[in-house]
Each structure stands twice: as C-alpha cells, then as structure tokens.
C-alpha cells in the first residue's frame, strides 16, 4: 500500500469515528433538553483534519443514522450538517482556529449559518417545534407574541452561536490532545496554521 492509499484509508476511518462522536454527545444533550445541541463536534474535528468531503459525509451520515437510532427528526437537518462541514473546513484552511478569539468568532459565524440553514426546516416541516431544548425558547417567544418564523430565527440566533462556539472549542481541545505522531498523517499545513501541531524544524548544522 502506498502513502496515498494509506491516507485515503485513514480519511475513511475518520468518518465512523466522527459519526460516533456526533451521535454520542448529541443524543445525551437531547435527552437532558438543554438549549444547545453539541451534535457536530465530530463533523468539525473531521473538517479540520481532512478535506470538506469527509466532514460532509460525517455530518450527513450521523444525522441519517441518528434518524434511525435516536431521533427521527435528525435526517431533515442533514443539509445543516453539510453546511457545517463546508464552513469548518473553509475556516480551518485559513487558520481561523489558531487562537481563542478567532475560534470564538468562527463559532459565532458557524452558529449564524447553522441557524439560518435550519430555520426553514423547523418552520415549514415541524411548525417550530422539534423536541429539542431550543424548542422551549421558541415556545416562549411564541407566547410573547412573536411570529413563528421570527421566533424560530431568534431562537436559533440566540442558541446556535453559543452552541457552535462550544463545539469549535471542544473540537480544538480534542485535537490538541492527540499525539503528534498521529496528527502528522493528516493535513500538516492546515493543522500548523491552526496551532494544533508544530512542524519540526531541521536542526542547524554545527560549524
């Protein structure tokens, strides 16, 4: 097996690991009904380690499988997961996860994108209520006289940036805990841009 074959195998192995991470944490959060999701950490991790396609496959795959195993609502939000994978990979390529402030800003931007992408599905397919903790915020806004679309958008824009910022921070924390020997098998340039791995400099020869 050449290096390229080995890399492809490694990238493919990331997908089920990312799916497991999404489903495990996301299901736990959904059970306790807090107004965040934490269901895309695996997608973000894969996006930073690899190119966008494995990240999209991780996000969409986790929600399709989650629809069968845990929550029948999830498959309808597969498009949101695809958007998360694309945005996280785009941000990683530009080094937006390198510092705490830029990671927070990236998480806020990701939250806005996720909230806008999810709102039409929540409104037109589920009438504003999906059974998540965020639905409690929607119900409160509806009771206060807000319209359905405005309630869903406001709920998403209130919860999603916090949720996605937490997920970005957790993803970086997990990646920084991995050994360098494993990380160097992925996109070293992107990982170095984001401060996750440091390239070893060749020793200066003694004169």
């Amino acid at each position: 097996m050449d290096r390229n074959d080995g890399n492809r195998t490694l990238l493919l192995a990331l997908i089920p690991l990312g799916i497991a991470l999404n489903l495990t944490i996301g299901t736990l959060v959904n059970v306790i009904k807090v107004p965040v999701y934490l269901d895309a950490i695996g997608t973000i991790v894969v996006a930073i380690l690899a190119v966008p396609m494995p990240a999209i496959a991780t996000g969409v795959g986790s929600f399709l499988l989650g629809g069968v195993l845990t929550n029948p609502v999830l498959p309808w939000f597969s498009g949101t997961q695809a958007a998360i994978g694309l945005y996280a990979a785009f941000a990683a390529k530009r080094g937006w996860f390198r510092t705490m402030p830029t990671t927070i800003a990236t998480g806020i931007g990701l939250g806005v994108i996720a909230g806008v992408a999810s709102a039409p599905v929540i409104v037109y397919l589920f009438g504003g209520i999906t059974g998540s903790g965020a639905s409690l915020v929607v119900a409160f806004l509806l009771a206060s006289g807000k319209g359905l679309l405005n309630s869903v958008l406001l709920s998403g824009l209130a919860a999603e940036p916090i949720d996605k910022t937490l997920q970005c921070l957790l993803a970086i924390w997990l990646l920084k805990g991995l050994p360098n020997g494993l990380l160097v098998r992925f996109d070293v340039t992107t990982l170095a841009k984001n401060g996750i791995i440091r390239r070893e400099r060749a020793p200066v020869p003694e004169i």
Side-chain angles (χ1 to χ4, degrees):
M1 181 186 296
D2 63 25
R3 182 177 177 84
N4 288 335
D5 289 337
N7 286 343
R8 280 194 293 269
T9 301
L10 198 59
L11 291 179
L12 289 174
L14 278 178
I15 296 172
L17 291 175
I19 288 173
L21 191 58
N22 282 351
L23 288 179
T24 301
I25 301 177
T27 300
L28 177 61
V29 170
N30 185 61
V31 167
I32 60 179
K33 301 297 182 188
V34 294
V36 292
Y37 304 101
L38 301 186
D39 54 9
I41 297 173
T43 305
I44 298 168
V45 166
V46 174
I48 296 170
L49 283 175
V51 289
M53 290 310 298
I56 292 171
T58 297
V60 173
S62 64
F63 271 35
L64 293 177
L65 183 59
V68 176
L69 298 179
T70 61
N71 187 348
V73 167
L74 291 179
W76 296 103
F77 295 94
S78 297
T80 301
Q81 280 283 335
I84 290 170
L86 279 172
Y87 177 89
F90 176 87
K93 287 293 184 183
R94 283 150 184 80
W96 293 355
F97 294 100
R98 184 171 185 84
T99 66
M100 178 76 75
T102 59
T103 300
I104 291 172
T106 300
I108 292 171
L110 181 57
V112 172
I113 288 172
V116 172
S118 298
V121 177
I122 297 172
V123 171
Y124 297 111
L125 287 179
F126 300 105
I129 305 298
T130 61
S132 67
S135 295
L136 300 176
V137 180
V138 174
F140 172 79
L141 291 171
L142 286 171
S144 68
K146 300 288 185 184
L148 178 58
L149 180 58
N150 285 339
S151 295
V152 171
L153 280 172
L154 288 172
S155 171
L157 293 176
E160 289 279 11
I162 296 172
D163 171 63
K164 297 305 181 288
T165 298
L166 286 173
Q167 296 198 57
C168 287
L169 292 170
L170 286 170
I172 294 299
W173 177 74
L174 287 173
L175 286 170
K176 286 185 175 180
L178 295 177
N180 278 1
L182 175 61
L183 291 172
V184 294
R185 301 179 66 182
F186 296 97
D187 187 342
V188 176
T189 301
T190 296
L191 293 173
K193 278 184 180 179
N194 291 282
I196 296 166
I197 189 172
R198 294 190 178 186
R199 289 177 170 175
E200 297 292 335
R201 293 185 177 179
V204 178
E206 295 182 4
I207 299 176

